[in-house]
Each structure stands twice: as C-alpha cells, then as structure tokens.
C-alpha cells in the first residue's frame, strides 16, 4: 500500500514511522525546508539555542516520554527555582502566593470540578451541556474569582495554557481538559522539556525513516477518484492508495478537495480556532537573573505576561511567551525585541545593561501554521468537534487539532497513532 503523508511535524513524522513499521510504502511531504512544524530548536550561533515553538512536556504526556525513551533520550526537568509573580508592582513567588489569589484559584478549581461531575469524555457526547459550550472561560472566571488579583492570577495561568484570551475559549472545551487531567496531583504541568531541544528528537524521528522527507512541497489540491488519491503540489502530482494530512486547520482550509469534503468536515475545519501566541527571545552577556538566586521564570500583569530561562546551548537566553490580543499588539511594533528589553528593564534594570540581541517568533503570521495551536472556541465542541478527526474515504486527518490532547505535542503523537490504525484497517 502506498501512503502519502503531508506535513513533517510531530504528527506527520510519527505517522510515517508507524506506517513504515507496518509495511506501508510511505512518502512524506513538507512545505518548509525543515521538519518539526510548530516545534523548532533555533540555533543562532555562539551557544544561543532556544525553542521557537512547542517546548514543555507535561508529566502525563506519556507518548512524548515513551518516544524520547525509544531514542535513548531523557527529558530535562524544569527549573526547580520558584516563579516570580508580579502584580501591580508587588512581587511574590508561586510558592508563596497571595492568599486572595490562592483562594480564588481554589474556588475556580472547585467550581470546575463540580461541573465536571455531570460530564464525560468524549466531550461532544454531552448534548445537554449546550449552555456550558456557549459560555466563555472568561465569564466563568469572572463568576468564581472574586478579587482583582485572583482574577488576574487565574486568567494569567489559563491564558498561558490556552494560548489566547479567555473570552475566546469555550467553557465546555476547557472542562474537557480538566476531565482529562483529573488524576493529576499538581506537579505534572510543564514538568519537563526536551534535553538539547525538540529538534534533536525530530531529527531522530526523521533519521529512523527509510523514506526521505520531500521538502518545499506545498500541497494545493487533493483529488479522490476511483481507488486512489491524487495529491497536487505546487510543483508536481503524486498518487497514493491512502493519504494522511497533518496540516493545521487554517492551512487545511486553503487546500482544494475534489470532490468537496462533507459539509460537516468543512465547517469543523473552518470553525477551528488557533491561538495567538508569540515568543520573544533575548540573549544576554550574563544571566543577570541568577545573581539574586532567581531562575528567570516570571508571570506579570504587564505586557510581557510570562518569561523563563530558555537557553539550551550554554548562552544566557530569556524567552517571553505572549498570548492573545497583546501578542498581536507586540508584533505590530517596529522593534518588539528592543521594546521587550525596555519592558523587562522596567521590572529588572539589569536586563538593559546585559542585552545582546534578540528574535521574535510570530506564529499567527506563519504561512504554514497561522496560529500557535488549536483551542476550542465557544460553541465549537457540540457543533463541530466530533467531525474533526474522522476520515473521508481515503483521506485521513491527523495533527494535534484532531486529538483529545489537542494543542499539545502529545496530541500530535496521539493523532498519528489513530491515523495509522485507520489506514491499516482501511
Ligand atoms: C509558541 C508555541 C508554544 C507551544 N508550546 C507548547 C508546549 O509547551 N507543549 C506542547 O506540548 N505543545 C506546545 N505547542 C504546540 C505544539 O508545538 C503543537 O501542538 C505540535 O507541534 C503540533 O504538531 P503537528 O504535527 O500536529 O502540527 P505542525 O507541527 O504544525 O505540523 C504540520 C506540518 O504541515 C506543514 N504544512 C502546512 N501546510 C502545508 C501544505 N500546504 N503543504 C505541505 N505541508 C504543509 C507545516 O509546515 C508543518 O510542518 C506550542 C506551539 C507554539 C507555536
């Protein structure tokens, strides 16, 4: 069986590995000139290495951990030093959080658990939960977080998880994540990252394939006639028995299907929303944040939102992760790197003294991603979510957005396993 896989991110590489292991003749196509898609370890020279996209592994992301293990790699533990929290000029740490903020966090958590008692997975099979699906997470937090500081804290945490402003996140979709992680005891979130960078494991995945990744191949049309599928790229045509498409929804939306995909599939692809998240990374000539025993990890109520020590190659690098409308605002600035150093130096004057150079990674404007990762918008779950993953004849859909762990690298791997099983049983 000849199988064409389009997209060489985690989903496409994993699908190709599994299909080859099952004896399929696989060809893997990628629009960019590199593997990894929304994961990329950037090497700027001089020991500056950091993640431009996906970075953290939760402790219960077992597929990612098993994949690393299969290549003899160990995940790196996150920095043990506590995160700084800065709100209205006051500072504390996550270990010593203000009592009003903690009480609000616990109140929101308890209210979410209460709602989850009446829900089950898969989340779209809760037809009576329409009112939850139509509500926003922002609205839910306004109801249960009673103090201004608590609202900021809870909003800041969940905005970081969702990658966008909480007015854009549907309550029911968010609750599905709470249901999935109900067994957690508290330390699982962002417990690890990739030792030496995600590109190391991506390179190992690529090297494990017998097929060569075809770079610079931009898919434009997909035609299903008779017993096969034709993929029409900008620069040529390829025919297969089955295909796996791992493109993120906005990229998939640009592909023409003949015959057209079912109306419910088209609506699901068009209705899927991508988070607006960007990263700004700075190199410093000295890890000034370590001078007073701080690890560089911070959440604040200012426009930088969140930072951490991100260097993977020896040079001191700090990254900021900015989500939602503020991310768009940052990318409109003439020089977001320098503007970011200015904002940092307002909080930490040493930042300006030690700054060397910096870079931005603007995922919402990336032509092959058009966003950072998928989120479940209000009204999406009950109307569309069930229609995202199922195949349409010989076309199989993979990628993080088609998984129960949507938004995560874990989801990309999960989706590859499902697509592999579908193709092999077809
Ligand atoms: C800033 C940021 C932070 C993140 N943080 C985390 C994190 O900490 N932890 C975590 O688990 N996840 C995180 N993620 C999400 C994670 O990176 C993604 O869920 C995962 O990489 C998606 O993998 P994928 O294979 O599904 O999609 P992709 O990686 O997007 O792969 C799809 C591939 O398809 C290609 N493609 C697109 N259009 C075409 C076309 N027309 N023709 C051919 N090829 C095409 C793309 O170039 C891409 O290589 C983050 C993402 C970003 C951007």
């Amino acid at each position: 069986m000849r199988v064409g896989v389009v997209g060489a991110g985690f989903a496409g590489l994993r699908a190709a590995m599994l299909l080859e292991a099952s004896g399929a003749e696989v060809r893997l196509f990628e629009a960019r000139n590199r593997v990894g898609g929304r994961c990329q370890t950037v090497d700027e020279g001089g020991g500056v290495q950091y993640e431009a996209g996906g970075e953290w592994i939760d402790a219960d992301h077992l597929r990612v951990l098993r994949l690393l293990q299969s290549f003899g790699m160990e995940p790196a533990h996150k920095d043990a030093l506590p995160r700084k929290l800065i709100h209205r000029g006051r500072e504390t740490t996550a270990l010593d959080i203000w009592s009003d903020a903690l009480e609000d966090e616990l109140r929101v958590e308890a209210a979410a658990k209460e709602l989850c008692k009446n829900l089950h997975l898969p989340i779209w099979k809760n037809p009576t939960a329409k009112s939850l699906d139509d509500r926003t997470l922002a609205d839910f937090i306004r109801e249960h977080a009673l103090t201004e500081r608590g609202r900021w804290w809870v909003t800041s945490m969940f905005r970081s998880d969702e990658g966008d402003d909480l007015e854009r996140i549907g309550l029911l979709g968010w609750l599905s994540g709470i249901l999935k992680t109900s067994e957690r005891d508290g330390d699982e979130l962002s417990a690890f990252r990739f030792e030496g960078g995600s590109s190391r494991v991506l390179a190992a995945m690529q090297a494990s394939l017998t097929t060569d990744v075809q770079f610079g191949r931009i898919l434009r049309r997909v035609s299903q006639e008779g017993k096969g599928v034709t993929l029409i790229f900008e620069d040529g045509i390829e025919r297969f028995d089955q295909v796996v498409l791992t493109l993120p929804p906005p990229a998939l939306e640009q592909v023409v299907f003949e015959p057209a995909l079912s109306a419910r599939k088209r609506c699901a692809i068009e209705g899927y929303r991508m988070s607006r998240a960007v990263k700004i990374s700075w190199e410093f000539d000295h890890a000034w944040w370590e001078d007073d025993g701080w690890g560089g990890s911070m959440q604040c109520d200012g426009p930088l939102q969140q930072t951490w020590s991100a260097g993977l190659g020896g040079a001191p690098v700090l990254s900021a992760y900015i989500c939602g409308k503020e991310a768009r605002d940052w990318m409109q600035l003439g020089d977001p790197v320098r503007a970011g150093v200015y904002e940092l130096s307002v909080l930490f004057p040493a930042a300006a003294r030690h700054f060397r150079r910096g870079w931005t990674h603007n995922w919402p404007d990336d032509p092959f991603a058009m966003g950072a990762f998928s989120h479940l918008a209000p009204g999406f779950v009950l109307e569309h979510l069930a229609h995202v993953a199922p195949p349409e004849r010989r076309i199989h859909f993979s990628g993080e957005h088609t998984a129960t762990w949507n938004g995560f690298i874990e989801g990309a791997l999960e989706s590859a396993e499902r697509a592999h099983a579908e193709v092999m049983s077809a």
Side-chain angles (χ1 to χ4, degrees), residues 6-12 29-32 34-39 52-57 61 217-220 233 246-248 251 255 277-279 321 363 367-369 371-373 398-401 407-410 412 415:
V6 187
F10 267 102
F29 303 94
E30 169 55 49
R32 302 175 204 261
R34 61 167 180 85
V35 296
R38 283 170 279 160
C39 286
E55 179 158 357
W56 301 96
I57 308 165
H61 286 180
R217 305 294 307 266
I218 302 176
L219 182 69
R220 290 296 180 214
F233 295 90
T246 72
L247 285 53
V255 175
V278 300
K279 280 189 177 175
Y321 172 61
W363 292 98
F368 301 115
F373 46 89
S398 176
E400 55 85 4
H401 62 286
F408 294 102
I409 298 163
E410 177 74 8
S415 76

Side-chain angles (χ1 to χ4, degrees), residues 162-238:
E162 299 294 330
D164 213 319
D165 297 326
L166 303 190
E167 282 76 13
R168 295 200 170 207
I169 309 299
L171 180 56
L172 185 61
W174 178 73
L175 289 169
S176 70
I178 303 285
L179 274 174
K180 272 187 77 67
T181 55
S182 60
E183 304 290 304
R184 286 185 175 178
D185 60 21
D187 288 333
E188 290 85 350
L189 192 70
S190 307
F192 306 108
R193 52 181 154 180
F194 296 91
E195 180 81 56
S198 59
S199 291
R200 207 171 137 235
V201 65
L202 288 158
M205 293 170 85
Q206 182 184 353
S208 75
L209 297 172
T210 50
T211 187
D212 288 333
V213 182
Q214 311 262 310
F215 291 111
R217 305 294 307 266
I218 302 176
L219 182 69
R220 290 296 180 214
R221 296 171 93 91
V222 179
S223 166
Q224 290 201 76
E225 320 131 338
K227 290 192 171 170
V229 188
T230 305
L231 297 179
I232 300 147
F233 295 90
E234 275 191 352
D235 60 345
I237 291 178
E238 311 271 350

Side-chain angles (χ1 to χ4, degrees), residues 24 37 61 70 72 112 133 152 193 214 224 238 240-241 261 266 287 302 316 328 351 360 387 392 401:
H61 286 180
S70 72
D133 200 21
W152 162 73
R193 52 181 154 180
Q214 311 262 310
Q224 290 201 76
E238 311 271 350
F240 295 97
D241 299 313
L261 295 175
R266 284 202 317 270
R328 300 307 271 162
T360 57
H387 310 307
E392 300 240 328
H401 62 286

Side-chain angles (χ1 to χ4, degrees), residues 171-370:
L171 180 56
L172 185 61
W174 178 73
L175 289 169
S176 70
I178 303 285
L179 274 174
K180 272 187 77 67
T181 55
S182 60
E183 304 290 304
R184 286 185 175 178
D185 60 21
D187 288 333
E188 290 85 350
L189 192 70
S190 307
F192 306 108
R193 52 181 154 180
F194 296 91
E195 180 81 56
S198 59
S199 291
R200 207 171 137 235
V201 65
L202 288 158
M205 293 170 85
Q206 182 184 353
S208 75
L209 297 172
T210 50
T211 187
D212 288 333
V213 182
Q214 311 262 310
F215 291 111
R217 305 294 307 266
I218 302 176
L219 182 69
R220 290 296 180 214
R221 296 171 93 91
V222 179
S223 166
Q224 290 201 76
E225 320 131 338
K227 290 192 171 170
V229 188
T230 305
L231 297 179
I232 300 147
F233 295 90
E234 275 191 352
D235 60 345
I237 291 178
E238 311 271 350
R239 291 202 173 74
F240 295 97
D241 299 313
Q242 308 274 333
V243 299
V244 178
L245 305 182
T246 72
L247 285 53
L252 201 54
E253 212 182 316
Q254 296 191 347
V255 175
V256 175
F257 289 85
E258 298 165 311
L261 295 175
S262 66
R264 61 189 189 185
K265 176 69 83 184
R266 284 202 317 270
C267 291
I269 295 168
E270 285 165 24
Y272 222 141
R273 294 283 165 261
M274 298 291 283
S275 291
R276 300 167 297 173
V278 300
K279 280 189 177 175
I280 307 178
S281 300
W282 305 276
E283 180 196 359
F284 296 94
D285 61 21
H286 168 69
W288 48 267
W289 52 93
E290 290 174 1
D291 290 346
D292 64 355
W294 170 44
S297 175
M298 180 268 290
Q299 244 165 290
C300 71
D301 58 351
L304 282 180
Q305 295 186 3
Q306 198 174 347
T307 66
W308 61 84
S309 170
L312 299 166
V317 176
L318 213 60
S319 285
Y321 172 61
I322 306 163
C323 306
K325 181 179 176 304
E326 242 164 19
R328 300 307 271 162
D329 293 346
W330 271 99
M331 293 302 121
Q332 313 274 303
L333 297 177
D335 189 348
V337 167
R338 284 203 174 265
V341 173
Y342 170 77
E343 285 295 337
L344 256 186
S345 65
V346 170
L347 301 171
F348 313 103
R353 289 200 298 278
H354 294 287
F355 169 66
R356 265 196 177 151
R357 49 186 184 147
W359 305 268
T360 57
H361 292 276
N362 180 358
W363 292 98
D365 287 339
D366 178 295
F368 301 115
M370 289 177 256

Side-chain angles (χ1 to χ4, degrees), residues 122-125 252 261-272 376 379-392 395-398 401-403 418 422:
I123 198 66
W124 61 81
K125 287 199 172 164
L252 201 54
L261 295 175
S262 66
R264 61 189 189 185
K265 176 69 83 184
R266 284 202 317 270
C267 291
I269 295 168
E270 285 165 24
Y272 222 141
L376 303 173
F380 184 79
V381 170
L382 296 183
E383 186 87 18
H384 300 299
L385 193 54
H387 310 307
V388 172
E392 300 240 328
I395 305 175
H396 304 269
F397 297 88
S398 176
H401 62 286
T402 68
R418 179 192 37 77
E422 277 172 18

